[in-house]
Amino acid sequence: MDAILAIFRALADPTRIRIMLLLLKMELAVGELAQILEQSQPRISRHIRILDEAGLAERRKEGSWVFLRPGQAAELDILRRLFRSDNVISSQQAIDDEAKLALVRKARAEMAEQYFEAHAEEWDAIRSLHLPEDAVEQAMLALLKDVNLGHFLDIGTGTGRMVELFGPNSEKITALDKSPEMLRLARAKILGNEGDKTDQAALARKTELKLGDFNHLPIDDSQIDSVILHQVLHYAPYPEAVLAEVSRVLRNNGMVMIVDFASHDREELRTAHAHARLGFSDDSMKRWFAASQIDMVQSRTLDGGELTVKIWVGRKSSLPRIHTDSGKASFADLSNKSKRAAL
């Protein structure tokens, strides 16, 4: 009874109803809500505290920003239907707020575009050294074709590309990056339209963006079914420590995929692009996997440039390895019954 009373009290204010209507469309920063509602941030924060206490909204700090999204209250599913009724969404206030929300979306997209333009030359210089990224992505997709990734952790999510690729085959997604700026780019790309009934909206609803470092993952033990580190591990001074953290958060039989460079001698990547490691050898990766209680299931080599791209796939499991005729394991060969168990 107390929970229901708290919800009704929380909604007994026009501003808080407006906030809920906006949060059901997309995750928003406190400053963005203040901009849309044309109220001060302290006043908005007081409203948010009441919604948070009722379980209708939840706050998440990301650097110096605080973001809001719908909370965990069970009653929120009922309220969603009410908030989407014609009487609510056709009101002049809701229409005006939606127009201002569109401006927030536009500002995010412009920010992302400016960032990409500023860094395009740097990224193009690295891409020119190896196989086209599209070919790398196709190889990754082939390895995980039709596999349910369960709770998927994307470490070093950057712009959120891995979430776009593998999110449809996941039940829940945690996209982690240590850069608030990169998380804002990912948010603009992934969480831009939660209110629409589209595949993108479905992806946004099951994705949580989280600020954190791969040396100390802000995730409890044994919570994750699958992990991808795409062109991330070479930034780690101690890759073995990162893999130990990955193993800690993985459930038994959980899968990890690492995509990175084979060992190379392009020293400029260390000096100009902050690469702590100049690629990795198979022997090193096998040793680090074994130390983290991860079985090496497969490795693939993708030639096609000055730098060779490698894909290593491991499984935190004592189950027998699965082999193809070529002697390599393939997650795509798992039967429907064993796919879930294997991951």
Side-chain angles (χ1 to χ4, degrees):
M1 181 67 75
D2 289 344
I4 295 295
L5 288 174
I7 288 173
F8 280 118
R9 290 192 188 105
L11 294 176
D13 182 277
T15 296
R16 292 197 284 275
I17 291 178
R18 292 171 67 191
I19 290 173
M20 287 307 305
L21 286 170
L22 291 166
L23 294 184
L24 289 173
K25 293 179 181 296
M26 61 186 283
E27 185 180 81
L28 289 163
V30 173
E32 291 171 334
L33 280 169
Q35 174 187 338
I36 294 170
L37 300 174
E38 297 181 342
Q39 297 183 21
S40 68
Q41 289 200 28
R43 185 174 180 183
I44 293 296
S45 295
R46 287 195 294 272
H47 287 302
I48 289 168
R49 177 179 55 79
I50 294 171
L51 292 170
D52 188 4
E53 291 173 351
L56 295 176
E58 58 185 29
R59 293 174 282 191
R60 183 174 52 78
K61 198 170 189 307
E62 188 177 291
S64 60
W65 291 40
V66 176
F67 285 90
L68 288 303
R69 66 185 301 161
Q72 302 299 318
E75 295 79 7
L76 196 55
D77 286 340
I78 299 173
L79 292 172
R80 286 178 190 272
R81 295 197 293 271
L82 176 62
F83 288 149
R84 289 170 179 164
S85 68
D86 289 339
N87 288 336
V88 175
I89 62 177
S90 63
S91 67
Q92 190 58 51
Q93 185 67 76
I95 292 171
D96 291 345
D97 286 349
E98 175 63 37
K100 294 175 185 175
L101 185 64
L103 295 178
V104 169
R105 292 194 185 102
K106 181 180 178 182
R108 287 185 179 183
E110 289 175 348
M111 176 272 296
E113 184 176 349
Q114 290 169 4
Y115 184 92
F116 292 141
E117 288 178 356
H119 293 81
E121 184 175 346
E122 171 189 341
W123 290 341
D124 287 345
I126 297 177
R127 289 192 188 103
S128 69
L129 297 176
H130 63 80
L131 193 71
E133 195 61 37
D134 180 64
V136 176
E137 292 178 356
Q138 290 304 312
M140 296 172 68
L141 288 166
L143 287 171
L144 299 181
K145 184 179 179 182
D146 299 327
V147 173
N148 185 337
L149 299 181
H151 187 174
F152 162 45
L153 171 62
D154 180 24
I155 297 178
T157 193
T159 63
R161 178 56 179 162
M162 294 298 104
V163 173
E164 288 185 315
L165 283 178
F166 296 101
N169 289 342
S170 306
E171 297 171 9
K172 181 180 179 181
I173 305 160
T174 299
L176 181 137
D177 206 290
K178 71 174 183 178
S179 166
E181 184 176 26
M182 295 309 296
L183 287 178
R184 287 194 284 274
L185 291 173
R187 180 174 292 102
K189 194 171 184 181
I190 300 168
L191 305 186
N193 240 342
E194 291 189 49
D196 292 346
K197 295 181 179 180
T198 63
D199 292 341
Q200 185 72 16
L203 184 64
R205 283 192 291 272
K206 62 183 178 182
T207 300
E208 178 184 8
L209 299 177
K210 190 180 285 286
L211 184 70
D213 189 283
F214 52 26
N215 292 298
H216 304 284
L217 296 172
I219 298 168
D220 291 337
D221 296 356
S222 304
Q223 297 297 307
I224 302 297
D225 297 299
S226 57
V227 177
I228 292 179
L229 295 99
H230 175 257
Q231 296 293 5
V232 170
L233 199 60
H234 56 242
Y235 291 110
Y238 303 102
E240 61 273 33
V242 175
L243 285 171
E245 271 292 272
V246 168
S247 179
R248 178 184 66 78
V249 303
L250 274 176
R251 295 188 174 100
N252 286 337
N253 304 324
M255 182 276 297
V256 57
M257 173 182 280
I258 297 175
V259 182
D260 219 301
F261 298 126
S263 296
H264 62 86
D265 58 1
R266 300 298 296 247
E267 189 65 34
E268 71 273 17
L269 293 184
R270 192 196 310 274
T271 55
H273 300 287
H275 289 202
R277 295 285 182 136
L278 299 183
F280 305 97
S281 68
D282 286 335
D283 287 343
S284 293
M285 199 64 70
K286 287 176 183 177
R287 186 171 66 253
W288 295 332
F289 270 39
S292 300
Q293 298 181 314
I294 298 173
D295 295 333
M296 180 72 75
V297 174
Q298 180 177 9
S299 66
R300 284 198 60 185
T301 301
L302 305 177
D303 294 314
E306 295 182 48
L307 295 179
T308 296
V309 176
K310 295 283 297 189
I311 302 177
W312 295 278
V313 180
R315 186 173 61 231
K316 187 180 177 181
S317 171
S318 58
L319 294 176
R321 296 179 184 179
I322 301 168
H323 297 277
T324 64
D325 293 339
S326 63
K328 294 182 178 180
S330 173
F331 283 90
D333 291 334
L334 298 176
S335 66
N336 289 332
K337 181 178 180 181
S338 63
K339 282 176 185 174
R340 183 63 178 155
L343 293 174

